[in-house]
Amino acid sequence: MNQKVIGLSGDEAVAYAVKQCNVDVVAAYPITPQTIIVERIADYVNDGEVDLEYIPVESEHSAMSACIGAAAAGARAFTATAANGLALMHEVVYIASSLRLPIVMAIVNRALSGPICIHCDHSDTMAERDSSWIQLYVEDAQEAYDTVIQAFRIAEDPSVLLPVMVNLDGFIVSHTLQDVSVLPDEVVSEFVGKRQVASIDVAGKTVPMMLHPDNPLTFGPLDLFDYYFEHKRQQEEAIKAARDVIKRVNEEYYKISGRRYGDGMVDSYRMDDADIAVVGLGSTMGTVKEVVDEERSRGLKVGAIRIRSFRPFPVDQLLEELSRVKVVGVLDRSGAYGAPGAPVYNEIRSLLYDLDKRPAVLGYIYGIGGRDMPPELVKSVIRDLENALEKPPETKVEFIGVRE
Amino acid sequence: MKKGWREVPIGGICWVSSTEYKTGTWKTYAPRIDYEKCTNCGFCWFYCPDGAIRWNGEEKPKVDYDYCKGCGICAHECPAKAITMELEVK
Ligand code: SF4
Ligand code: SF4
């Protein structure tokens, strides 16, 4: 495979992928720790390395609005944001998915204000959890590069037609330099192709689902109690269909790159005979895998499951893997204040309810506001889970790494 | 019977022309023109925000009840007080 290895940070890896993906429009508004993405793309545009419409907008709300307009006109559109930028976009985030526009957006996960904090946690994307966007969480810069390329294919698949968020951990992935293998431009270009606009049946005619004077269409009209519900029902079907597409694109990408991430939905590590599973999202799972190796070498049957696709949720894969273990530890990098647990924990507890033999599920909220999650802390979680093998606690959701 | 979710085009896109959407069903009060009083000045035609007054400049205006939403602006503006708003009985 003719791949170049270059030193790129996570942000730069995203920008590099965008450069190769035949993107037509990039709407750009800076926010730490995402700024480097739109800066690098600006460099590429300035240096003539890529031919796309670069729209410097005055806010994130406008960035997403510009992407919506562009995508509705048939363009392949990309933007990037983080934390409060995503929060400011919130209104239009829902509009993008409900208009079924296959926009790709990189989110560099950062704690939501306040108090103001620029460091990593997942509170920003968890606030968009139910927006009917696909959410893929990556572990490192290499996966950020690979996933942006895959994201266009997933979003634009005719059975899906939903926007995709590619989520990378702020600073930990976004600003850390890594050897990244990049594919030749023409290989990526062929893999993603040009944006193909879906067809739609309107007034007895099949027309391209885009704004065009030849076939005027109304995007975003008033939709009241008579049809709104039907449109929302369609969105659930589309995001469910994305499960197979994410898996298929993961395999097809493997053929051109030699890289794949589990089955695309979850990335399981040493789970075959595991009694204990540690489940979580993002870069921390790299640390968890290291600790799993150490624990395995002293005989503890522990494995790790990195959820790569949080939306759609990997229902089948997790049911299969977790029905075989005795204890599950769920790591959450965001809170759900006032809820029984945090977002990932809540989903997993709910998922396992129907099993005849349910494993114990323990929740750990860690890393809020960029608080470090060193191997020692992961080890203490695994110690806790090991104790639960003997005597599972009734319910347990604990904040770890916070000072008492 | 309205279309189910499998038949409705995705993305909330309208599948018929907007002219087929009879917004006239929204109104509570309907304007009635008293042609004895009407001077054929055309104000109602100018002021109607929905283009629901049909007027060719020669014959006296007619209300297009399929699209009139019953806002009452025409009645308010008519200099001859020729338009009254009547409660719709359905
Ligand atoms: S009531 Fe309003 S909508 Fe109806 S004709 Fe008069 S101005 Fe137009
Ligand atoms: S505004 Fe009154 S007088 Fe003038 S055309 Fe309309 S109904 Fe007739």
Side-chain angles (χ1 to χ4, degrees), chain A residues 164-394:
Chain A
V164 179
M165 287 181 198
V166 177
N167 304 318
L168 50 150
D169 285 343
F171 293 102
I172 303 161
V173 176
S174 68
H175 284 58
T176 311
L177 204 65
Q178 189 187 332
D179 281 348
V180 176
S181 297
V182 297
L183 292 159
D185 291 352
E186 60 282 4
V187 173
V188 178
S189 174
E190 200 191 318
F191 186 75
V192 296
K194 281 266 168 205
R195 163 131 186 239
Q196 301 296 314
V197 175
S199 295
I200 192 165
D201 291 329
V202 171
K205 273 204 297 181
T206 303
V207 298
M209 187 180 162
M210 63 188 277
L211 295 170
H212 195 282
D214 289 349
N215 289 299
L217 290 181
T218 307
F219 276 75
L222 191 67
D223 193 16
L224 303 178
F225 46 74
D226 45 0
Y227 285 109
Y228 181 90
F229 204 171
E230 278 68 29
H231 289 125
K232 291 290 142 184
R233 178 67 186 82
Q234 292 172 335
Q235 283 173 235
E236 175 60 16
E237 210 60 16
I239 200 159
K240 272 192 193 147
R243 290 191 177 119
D244 283 341
V245 178
I246 292 166
K247 287 194 269 184
R248 195 179 71 226
V249 172
N250 185 53
E251 287 307 313
E252 286 176 27
Y253 189 77
Y254 173 70
K255 289 194 192 109
I256 62 161
S257 69
R259 287 185 296 280
R260 67 179 144 200
Y261 300 96
D263 71 347
M265 296 290 291
V266 295
D267 175 16
S268 301
Y269 188 71
R270 303 189 76 167
M271 280 298 299
D272 283 349
D273 60 342
D275 291 327
I276 297 172
V278 181
V279 186
L281 308 169
S283 63
T284 300
M285 295 312 288
T287 315
V288 171
K289 287 174 192 168
E290 287 286 321
V291 176
V292 161
D293 283 345
E294 270 182 52
E295 296 290 333
R296 280 270 174 182
S297 67
R298 66 166 195 94
L300 187 68
K301 288 182 173 171
V302 56
I305 302 177
R306 182 170 67 87
I307 296 176
R308 183 167 182 257
S309 171
F310 185 69
R311 285 289 183 272
F313 200 69
V315 169
D316 297 343
Q317 295 87 340
L318 287 177
L319 270 179
E320 212 232 88
E321 302 257 25
L322 297 181
S323 63
R324 289 189 267 118
V325 304
K326 300 190 179 95
V327 176
V328 182
V330 183
L331 304 179
D332 267 285
R333 200 162 198 154
S334 65
Y337 303 92
V344 187
Y345 169 91
N346 290 342
E347 305 270 348
I348 286 179
R349 288 271 290 200
S350 153
L351 188 71
L352 299 181
Y353 187 82
D354 288 333
L355 288 181
D356 292 334
K357 248 180 90 239
R358 289 191 290 266
V361 184
L362 283 64
Y364 302 89
I365 298 169
Y366 76 100
I368 302 297
R371 181 64 51 86
D372 200 15
M373 177 73 153
E376 296 69 49
L377 202 53
V378 177
K379 271 181 219 164
S380 75
V381 167
I382 293 178
R383 270 308 73 67
D384 207 33
L385 299 172
E386 195 179 358
N387 291 337
L389 271 181
E390 304 298 320
K391 201 164 72 65
E394 282 280 289

Side-chain angles (χ1 to χ4, degrees), chain A residues 98-100 200 202-203 218-219 221 226-227 230-231 233-234, chain B residues 2-5 8-16 21 26:
Chain A
S98 66
L99 297 184
R100 308 293 298 275
I200 192 165
V202 171
T218 307
F219 276 75
D226 45 0
Y227 285 109
E230 278 68 29
H231 289 125
R233 178 67 186 82
Q234 292 172 335
Chain B
K2 286 190 168 132
K3 288 174 193 279
W5 66 266
V8 176
I10 61 166
I13 289 177
C14 295
W15 60 91
V16 289
Y21 190 25
W26 299 10

